Amino acid sequence: MPNNIFIKPLFKLSQHSENMGEAIIHFTHDDYNKELGHALIEANNDAEAISAFLREYKDSPETLRSYAKEVERLLLWCIYIGKINISSLRRTHLQTYQEFLKNPVPVEIWCGPSVSRLKKDGAINENWRAFADGLSGASINKSLTILDSFFNYLVQANYLTGNPLAVDRRRKRRQTRVANIIDRYLEKDEINATLNALAEFPANNETQSFQTIRARYIILLLFYTGLRIAESANHTMGDFKQRKDRWFLRVIGKGKKLREIPIPDVLLDVLADFRKMIGLTSAQPVFQEKTPLIPMKNLTDAISTRRIDQILKWAFNLGAETFELKAPHKASKLRSASAHWLRHSYVTYLLEAGASLKVAQENAGHADVSTTMHYTHVAETDRHEATNQITLGED
């Protein structure tokens, strides 16, 4: 491939996908994988099929941007290297493309610093490149996962007869299933050290006092509910529901799926203390209460996910300082922790307490119980204790 070719972006903005991929239909018309029946989308060619797929995500800008980037990269490879259209791709093409992602060459025309696609005058920026560098293994897996969804969509829409990535993705899932063990969770002493550090933190004014109280509440809320960080930011006190003296938190989670999380008594006590400390009039949430689940100091505005993450980083750093000398491994672990670690901790200790996989799956909102089964470290203490009995000592 000549080094003096300028690879142009296929679209100006990810939100404007209507014309994306038009150039690709000029290279080949093999279409071996194209469905002969009636498609469920208005698409007479690959360009229109690609646009239909991207329009499904027009209400989720971040997802659209991520998906458009990976589809565009594949299309550029098809145009400049594969000389093939989407409906003619075979599995061997995708294997070649996967190798290309590791090392896009010639580097001069494929890789470069991140710059705007357009110049200030609206012209295409000739310094734009599709990649910053070759992709890491994790980034390649993310790219293939997105493309897998892309091809599945075209199959389900009766535009393609099959997914050229399907066999490879199934094989990889089988290969990685055993190795996918959740270990990013916190030990109880690590969580308690963080809570104690917050309790001892010198608050010099009302704002600092509120921030410290709220940080403690956030940790306990996430630990006792297993909420995702976005879920904790997008719900209100009114989402607590009481039925027959039992409390539940009603959550609309990932994929807009509804679930209700049982609330243990210890969290009800934490909630009552928090509400009292921040000046709410009742210890328990009232019906359809609008106070955000995690409020700002004005008690009317919800805190952002970014702010929750910042608060937890600060709190975990306080906890890490208490381990710095006696347990540096725990200190470094706390400094790496995030909100999602508390979610993992929730599932871990729920299973350790004797809950069934089904209960843990439903409480956490896992779409598949196989996700819950990744928490195999729950049994490691018992295995370690049993193994520790091995000895060369004679009876």
Side-chain angles (χ1 to χ4, degrees), residues 237 271-272 274-283 289 291-292 295 299:
M237 294 285 184
L271 181 63
F274 175 68
R275 291 173 62 86
K276 179 180 179 180
M277 289 178 181
I278 64 175
L280 292 173
T281 56
S282 62
E289 182 177 341
T291 306
L299 305 185

Side-chain angles (χ1 to χ4, degrees), residues 96-107:
T96 302
Y97 177 67
Q98 184 173 347
E99 290 302 312
F100 168 78
L101 291 176
K102 297 177 184 177
N103 184 29
V105 290
V107 173

